Amino acid sequence: MSLLSTKSIAAVAIVAAAGGWFAAQSSSGAFGREPRFPQLTMDQLTPAQRPVGEKIMKVSSVGIGGPYNPMIRSPEMAQRMYDLLDYLRWHTSVPTRLNEFAILIQGRLWRSQVEWYAHYPLAIKAGLSEQVAADLKANKRPEGMKPDEAAVYDFCMELSTKQAVSDETFARAKAVLGDQGVVDLTTLTGTYVTVAMLLSMAEESVPPGKEPPFKPGER
């Protein structure tokens, strides 16, 4: 099946699922008080917001919920971020399994409920081992990683926690991904920090009735 066909089929399911997300959103928000950004629906979008909202609905597993709910308040920024995410998700030089793994790494570092909720099934579908994902979620260095996964894990963790990458780690990542891949992976990592920040700032959470991936008190 072509990527275009896969995206088209996924878009139908996403739009349907998004309707459920919007319908189920609580007026009291995830923190027991009024939400910082009440969930918008497509009918509420302004003329400036609607074009990017329609694009988001075709590719986002949470519709215009999650990070898109605060993001779309700045429609020009949202359009530019959409274009960047479109490249980083669908056109990057990094293989999908490694790309989704890198997103999960940031989701775990930030304990981002929505990032993990949205990208865990995509990572598993792309071929990431459930055990690798479970170890990552438990805040452990995953056992049983493939060599390319270990290279991505070490690269992302060093860059995120040490604000530097050792020569050895850089060389392993470059051997797996090449020059373009290393740049794409770095940009993906930084972009999903931004996504996690938007989610945290806006106090966005998983859809009502769904279990948050990270429990209170977990480290």
Side-chain angles (χ1 to χ4, degrees):
M1 182 179 293
S2 70
L3 177 60
L4 181 59
S5 298
T6 301
K7 287 176 70 175
S8 298
I9 291 171
V12 175
I14 287 166
V15 171
W21 176 294
F22 300 148
Q25 283 289 73
S26 167
S27 62
S28 61
F31 290 77
R33 57 178 182 268
E34 288 299 310
R36 289 180 171 177
F37 295 95
Q39 177 61 59
L40 293 171
T41 67
M42 290 298 294
D43 290 342
Q44 293 173 320
L45 298 188
T46 67
Q49 294 169 332
R50 179 166 290 278
V52 67
E54 290 174 347
K55 290 180 180 179
I56 290 167
M57 287 293 290
K58 293 178 181 178
V59 299
S60 167
S61 62
V62 295
I64 54 172
Y68 297 108
N69 185 44
M71 193 185 300
I72 206 166
R73 265 70 179 190
S74 178
E76 182 173 349
M77 185 278 290
Q79 177 60 65
R80 292 170 187 264
M81 179 66 85
Y82 172 89
D83 291 339
L84 178 59
L85 290 170
D86 180 69
Y87 173 77
L88 292 173
R89 293 292 311 288
W90 303 110
H91 306 290
T92 178
S93 63
V94 180
T96 303
R97 170 174 52 88
L98 301 179
N99 216 48
E100 292 295 333
F101 185 34
I103 295 171
L104 286 188
I105 290 169
Q106 287 304 328
R108 182 58 187 85
L109 286 170
W110 277 82
R111 297 184 79 255
S112 177
Q113 307 284 18
V114 177
E115 274 190 356
W116 191 278
Y117 174 84
H119 288 276
Y120 171 81
L122 299 176
I124 299 305
K125 183 177 180 180
L128 187 70
S129 159
E130 291 186 9
Q131 186 58 55
V132 167
D135 285 348
L136 176 63
K137 186 172 181 288
N139 205 22
K140 300 188 298 185
R141 177 183 173 81
E143 296 183 5
M145 287 187 290
K146 298 174 182 177
D148 57 357
E149 293 166 354
V152 166
Y153 177 84
D154 291 337
F155 183 91
C156 292
M157 290 297 290
E158 285 187 22
L159 187 57
S160 297
T161 63
K162 299 180 180 180
Q163 293 77 53
V165 178
S166 70
D167 289 343
E168 188 272 338
T169 298
F170 177 83
R172 287 167 55 215
K174 183 176 177 179
V176 169
L177 300 172
D179 287 352
Q180 181 180 350
V182 168
V183 172
D184 284 353
L185 178 63
T186 302
T187 305
L188 177 83
T189 297
T191 300
Y192 274 86
V193 170
T194 299
V195 172
M197 285 182 171
L198 282 165
L199 290 163
S200 179
M201 174 276 295
E203 297 184 341
E204 297 284 341
S205 190
V206 299
K210 300 296 183 181
E211 191 72 16
F214 304 112
K215 307 301 184 291
E218 278 185 349
R219 299 312 305 162

